[in-house]
Amino acid sequence: MAGYRKLSRTADQRKALLRNQVTALIYRGKIVTTESKAKEVRKIAEGLIALAVKERDNYETVTVTAKVARKDKDGKRVKEVVDGKKVTVYDEVQKEIKKDKPSRLHARRQMLKVLYPVKEVPAEAAGKKKNTKEIDLTAKLFDEIAPKYADRNGGYTRIVKIGQRKGDAAMEVVLELV
């Protein structure tokens, strides 16, 4: 007996499907799919969440000095004339950043092997590249989802049956984060 469901797909198609659904589950919080796909997605998602819960506080805060371009009220860089050339003016700023310890960095990379990159497009700029932003799902796992499940030992997802699909009578379910 196999250790996983084949879902009537080749290995590369199955891997892409599961990665896509795990990414959607973590980004949106719930997805609607068939029961067998949901059970496979649940395995992967719970593993990622468990990894995030285990490594959520495994970082150190470091203060760094960074050069940032000075900007005017319109958001454009301030330029100054030096020796006949226009030069951008920079200010030094102190920033605090989170520096991952090695095990958390490894966990982040393991998550990135599974999760696809997600781009969020604002509603008013639909179909345009302007104002799109990349969502960091690993940061979402560490900062939002892991603290929510810190005192929970597994069971981070729930499968709720919603009935049969009209076309092929496959059992549809809602897979959601608890």
Side-chain angles (χ1 to χ4, degrees):
M1 190 164 155
Y4 57 88
R5 291 168 184 82
K6 293 186 180 171
L7 304 174
S8 301
R9 285 168 171 79
T10 60
D12 58 337
Q13 291 173 345
R14 183 172 52 249
K15 184 179 176 187
L17 170 88
L18 294 174
R19 285 181 66 190
N20 192 6
Q21 291 203 331
V22 169
T23 301
L25 175 65
I26 290 174
Y27 178 60
R28 294 195 177 92
K30 69 177 175 179
I31 58 172
V32 177
T33 185
T34 62
E35 189 173 15
S36 55
K37 287 178 194 168
K39 287 178 180 177
E40 286 298 307
V41 170
R42 169 188 245 177
K43 283 184 197 175
I44 299 166
E46 294 220 0
L48 292 180
I49 295 170
L51 197 58
V53 167
K54 182 180 166 201
E55 298 291 339
R56 74 183 185 284
D57 294 327
N58 201 4
Y59 63 89
E60 54 190 347
T61 310
V62 180
T63 305
V64 294
T65 305
K67 282 186 167 182
V68 179
R70 191 182 299 163
K71 297 190 177 179
D72 61 3
K73 64 179 191 263
D74 298 329
K76 301 207 181 209
R77 292 180 175 202
V78 175
K79 302 227 180 217
E80 205 173 73
V81 178
V82 177
D83 296 332
K85 291 184 179 179
K86 284 190 176 181
V87 180
T88 306
V89 180
Y90 289 96
D91 297 324
E92 287 196 3
V93 179
Q94 297 286 332
K95 287 186 177 181
E96 283 202 359
I97 59 168
K98 289 182 184 178
K99 185 178 176 191
D100 289 345
K101 290 192 176 166
S103 62
R104 181 171 160 136
L105 179 63
H106 179 67
R108 182 181 299 275
R109 289 180 176 160
Q110 293 296 94
M111 289 174 191
L112 287 172
K113 279 175 27 179
V114 176
L115 299 171
Y116 281 126
V118 175
K119 283 195 167 123
E120 193 173 77
V121 182
E124 66 273 357
K128 296 180 181 157
K129 286 186 178 180
K130 191 175 183 186
N131 296 329
T132 60
K133 60 181 178 180
E134 186 119 349
I135 305 297
D136 187 6
L137 288 182
T138 56
K140 182 174 181 175
L141 273 165
F142 284 127
D143 300 337
E144 294 175 27
I145 296 173
K148 195 164 91 173
Y149 298 122
D151 56 341
R152 193 176 179 107
N153 296 327
Y156 308 117
T157 58
R158 171 189 306 140
I159 294 178
V160 180
K161 293 183 180 180
I162 57 174
Q164 293 183 326
R165 190 162 54 196
K166 190 162 184 138
D168 60 356
M171 180 56 72
E172 278 199 317
V173 298
V174 173
L175 176 63
E176 58 189 358
L177 297 176
V178 178

